[in-house]
Amino acid sequence: MLELTMASVSGADSGATAGMHMADASSEPGAVLRVGRDRGVCGLVTPDDWLFVSRAHLEFRCGPDGVWAVTWLRGSNPDPASEVRVVSQGVARPLAYGTTEPLPRGGSGEVVIQDKSGPRSVNVGFFHEG
């Protein structure tokens, strides 16, 4: 099972979260959870006016071996308005636009979408059961 918790934070809120949302999915091959602004396709939805987040920005997908991975989906813009990093086991690694990274089985961490133009971020915490 994969559990996700999302918090949206802006500089004005400095240290406070603007809403906490949760989603989970069983680790069945092909299971998908998306994060973005589009309520029709995303299980975790950011504020509508946070345009540094795509309509479908991140996709968490369970592979055939039961291991989850996160993909920064390519949007309509060739140059994204945000940066994404995966933080796990005390290490932060950038996730390149359009790429996928496996999540550690039995591990936890977060995926951070950082606005390039201001102090706003979307922090998606994850826990991947072993």
Side-chain angles (χ1 to χ4, degrees), residues 11-102:
D13 295 326
S14 185
T17 59
M20 185 76 72
H21 305 279
M22 296 175 67
D24 60 28
S26 62
S27 291
E28 296 179 18
V32 174
L33 285 171
R34 290 186 187 93
V35 177
R37 292 178 301 143
D38 188 336
R39 293 180 186 336
V41 297
C42 297
L44 292 173
V45 181
T46 64
D48 290 336
D49 62 342
W50 284 32
L51 301 179
F52 69 97
V53 177
S54 301
R55 287 186 288 276
H57 200 93
L58 299 175
E59 180 177 87
F60 293 84
R61 179 176 294 273
C62 186
D65 53 0
V67 174
W68 284 86
V70 61
T71 300
W72 182 2
L73 300 170
R74 284 196 162 275
S76 58
N77 294 326
D79 186 27
S82 62
E83 296 174 345
V84 176
R85 66 184 177 277
V86 178
V87 182
S88 179
Q89 301 172 342
V91 177
R93 293 174 307 283
L95 182 63
Y97 191 40
T99 64
T100 300
E101 181 172 319

Side-chain angles (χ1 to χ4, degrees), residues 1 4 9 25 31 36 43 63 93 95 99 104 106 115:
M1 176 166 351
L4 299 178
V9 181
R93 293 174 307 283
L95 182 63
T99 64
D115 185 354

Side-chain angles (χ1 to χ4, degrees), residues 84-129:
V84 176
R85 66 184 177 277
V86 178
V87 182
S88 179
Q89 301 172 342
V91 177
R93 293 174 307 283
L95 182 63
Y97 191 40
T99 64
T100 300
E101 181 172 319
L103 301 178
R105 187 184 288 252
S108 62
E110 70 178 340
V111 180
V112 180
I113 305 169
Q114 182 70 51
D115 185 354
K116 285 183 180 178
S117 67
R120 296 183 296 181
S121 68
V122 176
N123 298 53
V124 181
F126 65 85
F127 174 70
H128 182 205
E129 289 184 358

